[in-house]
Amino acid sequence: MLFEIQYRISGVDAFLDTMYRNINAIRYFPVDYRKKWLSRFYVDAQVSKYNKLDQLVGLISEYDDKLVDELANDVERATIHNILSENGKKLFISANYQLDLALASDYGWKDAGMLSLAFFRIIENELNTRLISPLLDSLKDREKSYYYKELNKRSFNNKQSTKVNSEKLGSYYLFETLKPILKRYRKNDDRWVMLGPMEFFFNSMSNRVSTHECNKPVLNYLKSKLIMLLTDRGIEAIENDELGNLFTYNIRDKYRNPPAHAQYLHINTAVECRKYVYDCLLKINSWIK
């Protein structure tokens, strides 16, 4: 009961110190209760990088030599939950709950497309929340107005014409992509940028996407603002296409698109998607300041 109260009131650090000081008393707890608190102790210590973690692993092993290995998935899940935005945390809990529930039941032939999609929503949320929205906030209203007008001037109506060369098509798509990004400064316009346009946008920053020279001033301006939000490793991820390549068309078509196009997705693919999204979220967190 003391541990429960302190965990809720005093915060993780105080809880970890109390647990460590009283670790020997845990031997007198009922087995299930002891395992519950040792598990919580170990997972929280891993996530918060507790300074006595090495000693803790040894102490826990004295009580249960298999517990540390059993908790590997819990540590990974708690670590990722800890780095997400507030809305990302909610999406993360929901996606894991739904998939865990499906795996615990006889899911069999049932379509798991929405389970897989739920995990990809977390990537979309984190990039919009932690990168696109701060990028917009860093632009002054006058600058946003100017560049939005520039985008309008660059659009053209004959994009479907066979006479339009590939460079112009690339320029058109780039600015169709940038329009909703710059447009969001308008009141009550909080629509998110989807992953397809986002891939194109990020890869344009690395010059992998061909655009006309007249488009470069807007693109370079946005890039100068974007890199201020990134770590050194994040800037590398923009320059070498790592960021955009996290959710290329082939990846979206495997994990995200099937439920949007009435296609069946096996639950094993949803499990694979969870692991892929976990890896992506860890990378994204290391790239954003």
Side-chain angles (χ1 to χ4, degrees), residues 170 174 177-178 197-211 216 219-220 223 238 241:
L174 170 64
T177 298
L178 296 182
M198 206 182 292
E199 177 202 356
F200 195 93
F201 176 57
F202 290 139
N203 286 341
S204 296
M205 297 288 179
S206 68
N207 297 319
R208 187 163 69 87
V209 174
S210 177
T211 61
K216 293 300 176 71
L219 192 59
N220 290 338
K223 184 175 181 179
I238 286 287
D241 297 329

Side-chain angles (χ1 to χ4, degrees), residues 5 39 43 51 69-70 106 127 134 144 194 246 252 255 257:
I5 293 172
S39 298
V43 171
N51 59 8
D69 290 336
E70 290 175 3
D106 183 17
L127 288 174
K144 283 186 288 189
M194 294 184 291
L246 289 180
R252 298 195 306 274
Y255 297 127
N257 294 347

Side-chain angles (χ1 to χ4, degrees), residues 38-161:
L38 283 176
S39 298
R40 186 174 292 185
F41 187 13
Y42 177 70
V43 171
D44 284 348
Q46 282 280 9
V47 173
S48 64
K49 296 180 173 56
Y50 187 53
N51 59 8
K52 298 183 178 67
L53 185 59
D54 291 340
Q55 301 96 304
L56 173 61
V57 172
L59 291 169
I60 288 178
S61 297
E62 292 179 15
Y63 298 107
D64 189 333
D65 59 357
K66 297 179 181 178
L67 186 58
V68 170
D69 290 336
E70 290 175 3
L71 292 173
N73 289 335
D74 291 339
V75 169
E76 180 182 43
R77 190 176 296 193
T79 299
I80 294 170
H81 176 273
N82 195 53
I83 64 177
L84 297 176
S85 65
E86 288 307 308
N87 192 54
K89 286 180 169 65
K90 296 174 185 175
L91 294 173
F92 184 77
I93 292 171
S94 176
N96 277 297
Y97 174 79
Q98 293 174 63
L99 183 54
D100 289 343
L101 194 63
L103 290 170
S105 65
D106 183 17
Y107 213 74
W109 56 268
K110 298 175 186 176
D111 176 37
M114 297 306 292
L115 301 175
S116 186
L117 176 60
F119 282 96
F120 251 72
R121 288 173 61 202
I122 306 170
I123 295 177
E124 191 170 286
N125 174 85
E126 291 306 291
L127 288 174
N128 273 280
T129 301
R130 300 182 59 193
L131 210 51
I132 299 298
S133 290
L135 171 62
L136 296 176
D137 291 341
S138 72
L139 306 177
K140 297 177 182 177
D141 285 342
R142 185 180 64 179
E143 293 171 330
K144 283 186 288 189
S145 298
Y146 168 75
Y147 284 106
Y148 181 63
K149 290 175 183 177
E150 287 295 300
L151 297 183
N152 277 326
K153 286 195 297 185
R154 305 286 168 72
S155 295
F156 48 88
N157 297 321
N158 60 340
K159 60 182 181 298
Q160 301 297 336
S161 170

Side-chain angles (χ1 to χ4, degrees), residues 8-35:
R8 293 182 178 181
I9 295 177
S10 302
V12 174
D13 291 340
F15 163 73
L16 292 175
D17 286 336
T18 299
M19 284 289 292
Y20 190 82
R21 288 196 303 270
N22 294 277
I23 193 75
N24 289 327
I26 291 178
R27 73 175 70 246
Y28 302 109
F29 290 3
V31 174
D32 290 345
Y33 192 72
R34 180 174 67 201
K35 185 170 185 177

